[in-house]
């Protein structure tokens, strides 16, 4: 992989203090970009930027607050130059049964994911006007598959998927491409609690044909591809980085039971012929 792919480019990554956001920032910086890592936890953003070096800047940003988003783009522009790449990776998770889902939890989820993606996309597009650029949003397999304990999360990630498509059409005349990645279960601080439970981890792995969860770099590699000139004719798309999760109809145990049942039936039919 060329280390100069993003030379002379400035990339802003929200949710950049950890997980997929930090992995993306590191890959972009390693390939020549100047990177601004934005996170609601300003100290964590600064520490993450420090781990990358002079090519990175950490900025405290709440993506749900318009003034924060405007300030983020302004600081990026003053420090490195106007952004050429935006990665909308800020996110939160929570679980509730639908019948118990608090309005506040719904509002928070939609604010961070849908409103945050809209605000950052709008601000970056204004800065990219006349120059072009690439925007990559982080959606989820939850945008495609129903989760009874995360209706609000599925709705928010579905909103990101549609923002991606509509914004791609709106911004194409300005030379700005907009795409998304949809990760499956990924090993990050947000999933650490769930994946530390052996029974839950094993049950989730039944859904992954490739037999493992994603690492942040697995997703970051696809983000970097969509941000690069290698994808120069790709816009409005969501690429699912899920080890085959969304391609599989049945969990592995159920699929095996179906196959064993079919083999038994065929054996019986062959015995009668």
């Amino acid at each position: 992989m060329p280390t100069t792919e993003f030379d002379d480019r400035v990339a802003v990554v929200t949710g950049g203090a950890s997980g997929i956001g930090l992995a993306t920032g590191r890959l972009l910086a390693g390939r020549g970009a100047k990177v601004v890592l934005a996170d609601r936890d300003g100290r964590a953003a600064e520490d993450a930027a420090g781990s990358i070096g002079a090519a990175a800047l950490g900025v405290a940003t709440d993506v749900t607050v318009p003034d924060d988003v405007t300030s983020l783009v302004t600081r990026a522009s003053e420090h490195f130059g106007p952004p050429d790449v935006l990665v909308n990776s800020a996110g939160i998770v929570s679980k509730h049964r639908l019948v118990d889902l608090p309005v506040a939890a719904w509002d928070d989820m939609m604010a961070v994911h849908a409103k945050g993606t809209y605000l950052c996309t709008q601000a970056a597009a204004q800065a990219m006007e006349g120059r072009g650029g690439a925007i990559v949003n982080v959606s989820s397999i939850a945008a495609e598959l129903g989760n009874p304990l995360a209706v609000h999360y599925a709705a928010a990630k579905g909103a990101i998927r549609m923002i991606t498509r509509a914004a791609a059409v709106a911004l194409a005349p300005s030379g700005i491409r907009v795409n998304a990645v949809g990760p499956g279960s990924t090993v990050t601080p947000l999933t650490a609690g769930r994946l530390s439970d052996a029974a839950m981890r094993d049950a989730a792995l039944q859904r992954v044909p490739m037999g493992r969860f994603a690492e942040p770099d697995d997703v970051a590699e696809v983000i970097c591809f969509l941000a690069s000139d290698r994808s120069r004719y790709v816009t409005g798309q969501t690429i699912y980085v899920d080890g085959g999760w969304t391609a599989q109809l049945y969990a592995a145990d159920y699929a095996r039971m179906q196959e064993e049942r079919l083999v038994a039936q065929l054996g019986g039919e062959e015995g009668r012929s």
Side-chain angles (χ1 to χ4, degrees):
M1 180 61 59
T3 59
T4 59
E5 185 171 35
F6 292 97
D7 270 6
D8 302 321
R9 298 191 189 183
V10 177
V12 173
V13 182
T14 71
S18 63
I20 292 170
L22 178 54
T24 301
R26 284 176 172 157
L27 284 183
L28 287 167
R31 295 171 189 178
K34 301 294 190 297
V35 179
V36 179
L37 302 178
D39 201 278
R40 187 158 52 186
D41 185 338
R43 176 60 63 84
E46 292 174 1
D47 290 345
S51 72
I52 293 174
L57 172 70
V59 179
T61 307
D62 185 336
V63 298
T64 72
V65 178
D67 286 348
D68 271 24
V69 173
T70 299
S71 176
L72 168 64
V73 174
T74 298
R75 286 201 61 189
S77 299
E78 291 174 348
H79 196 82
F80 290 131
D84 304 286
V85 173
L86 167 69
V87 179
N88 283 310
S89 185
I92 58 174
V93 296
S94 66
K95 296 291 178 67
H96 300 276
R97 297 191 310 159
L98 176 59
V99 293
D100 302 321
L101 176 61
V103 172
W106 173 277
D107 288 345
D108 288 346
M109 193 67 67
M110 296 302 291
V112 172
H113 292 276
K115 182 181 179 182
T117 297
Y118 139 66
L119 287 174
C120 292
T121 297
Q122 182 182 64
Q126 290 170 352
M128 293 173 182
E129 190 73 34
R131 300 182 304 110
I135 296 171
V136 185
N137 302 320
V138 179
S139 182
S140 167
I141 60 172
E144 297 287 345
L145 303 170
N147 184 337
L149 297 181
V151 172
H152 55 326
Y153 182 80
K157 289 301 191 178
I160 290 175
R161 180 172 178 269
M162 190 49 66
I163 289 170
T164 298
R165 298 184 72 175
V169 176
L171 297 176
S174 299
I176 301 169
R177 297 182 301 104
V178 187
N179 291 289
V181 295
S185 287
T186 306
V187 181
T188 71
L190 288 180
T191 62
R194 173 166 53 86
L195 297 183
S196 67
D197 183 304
M200 291 189 69
R201 183 178 63 250
D202 292 346
L205 276 174
Q206 290 286 317
R207 296 295 307 174
V208 187
M210 290 185 70
R212 69 172 179 87
F213 299 122
E215 295 293 336
D217 276 356
D218 294 325
V219 183
E221 284 284 3
V222 181
I223 292 173
C224 287
F225 165 72
L226 291 172
S228 76
D229 291 341
R230 288 176 289 145
S231 62
R232 59 188 174 274
Y233 199 59
V234 179
T235 196
Q237 305 304 307
T238 298
I239 298 178
Y240 289 99
V241 189
D242 63 1
W245 185 311
T246 53
Q248 178 168 258
L249 179 60
Y250 300 121
D253 279 350
Y254 187 76
R256 187 180 65 252
M257 292 169 62
Q258 291 274 68
E259 181 178 5
E260 290 172 352
R261 186 167 182 266
L262 177 61
V263 169
Q265 288 174 342
L266 291 174
E269 291 173 3
E270 289 173 356
R272 290 194 298 272
S273 62

